Amino acid sequence: MASVKRCNWAQGDPVMEAYHDSEWGVPVRDSRMLWEMLMLEGFQAGLSWRTILHRREGFRRAFAGFDPVKVAAFGPDDVERLMADEGIIRARAKIEATIAAARIWCDMAAGGEDFGEWVWELAGGVPVENDGVNLPAKTETSEAISKALKARGFKFVGPVIVYAWMQAVGMVNDHAPDCFRRHAVGDASA
């Protein structure tokens, strides 16, 4: 059986391979899932995506399935509970930023604004098909989205984090030219 050609970053780790093969780069429009992925990318700051992905289920348990309504209700006792949770990255600033972001998400929803529609509009509404070779760390679009998120009060949303999130949720297709997922993801974007 011939080996499957993947993007280099996904090679050799079954968890990374499964994520790459089923999720990375597939356009996500669901507001809750977009928020979850943005929060996970924020936790990645200063770490590797592999570290976050291997703790993803721990994050989901700790943050009530990334239900923004439930997370928005977290208080000081929850912060302390999360600081003691070995299944996640125990960074107080990131934990508090996630709770604050849940409140922002809920405020947007209460005001009739859909987080998913808002971020996709900022991204241009349709996925961008890049060459998969010259991968930038950030773009003008990720800078603009970062600025808009920060203006709303989100934290850990710098333009590099936002670009990684855009790749993850399919706002851009950065699969390598010879990756078996490149065309499938591109077709899903159409």
Side-chain angles (χ1 to χ4, degrees):
M1 184 167 109
S3 66
V4 173
K5 178 63 178 154
R6 292 179 177 87
C7 296
N8 287 337
W9 62 265
Q11 300 284 354
D13 177 325
V15 174
M16 293 285 279
E17 288 177 0
Y19 168 72
H20 170 273
D21 293 359
S22 62
E23 292 182 63
W24 193 73
V26 176
V28 174
R29 300 280 179 169
D30 177 74
S31 289
R32 193 219 53 82
M33 187 61 182
L34 286 163
W35 179 77
E36 174 183 336
M37 293 302 292
L38 185 61
M39 296 305 98
L40 290 172
E41 291 289 352
F43 271 99
Q44 179 189 345
L47 303 169
S48 72
W49 183 244
R50 182 182 184 283
T51 298
I52 301 304
L53 198 56
H54 278 263
R55 294 179 182 223
R56 188 179 194 182
E57 291 311 312
F59 277 108
R60 285 178 169 163
R61 279 189 301 279
F63 286 98
F66 281 102
D67 179 332
V69 174
K70 291 178 181 176
V71 176
F74 283 11
D77 290 344
D78 294 295
V79 173
E80 295 310 315
R81 172 184 57 82
L82 293 167
M83 286 297 296
D85 190 330
E86 294 181 6
I88 66 169
I89 303 303
R90 296 174 289 177
R92 186 176 299 275
K94 293 176 181 181
I95 290 167
E96 291 174 345
T98 300
I99 295 166
R103 293 175 182 152
I104 296 164
W105 189 97
C106 290
D107 288 346
M108 290 177 73
E113 223 175 342
D114 183 86
F115 178 76
E117 290 175 9
W118 179 67
V119 294
W120 270 96
E121 184 177 320
L122 291 170
V126 295
V128 173
E129 187 82 17
N130 288 332
D131 66 11
V133 176
N134 302 302
L135 304 182
K138 62 183 179 177
T139 62
E140 287 181 16
T141 303
S142 75
E143 289 175 351
I145 294 172
S146 170
K147 185 177 179 180
L149 287 164
K150 288 177 182 178
R152 294 279 180 139
F154 287 90
K155 304 244 188 282
F156 297 99
V157 290
V160 174
I161 289 172
V162 168
Y163 191 74
W165 172 68
M166 292 171 67
Q167 291 174 308
V169 299
M171 290 179 182
V172 294
N173 181 0
D174 277 340
H175 280 279
D178 58 349
C179 175
F180 86 101
R181 291 291 292 157
R182 180 166 184 78
H183 296 294
V185 167
D187 292 344
S189 301

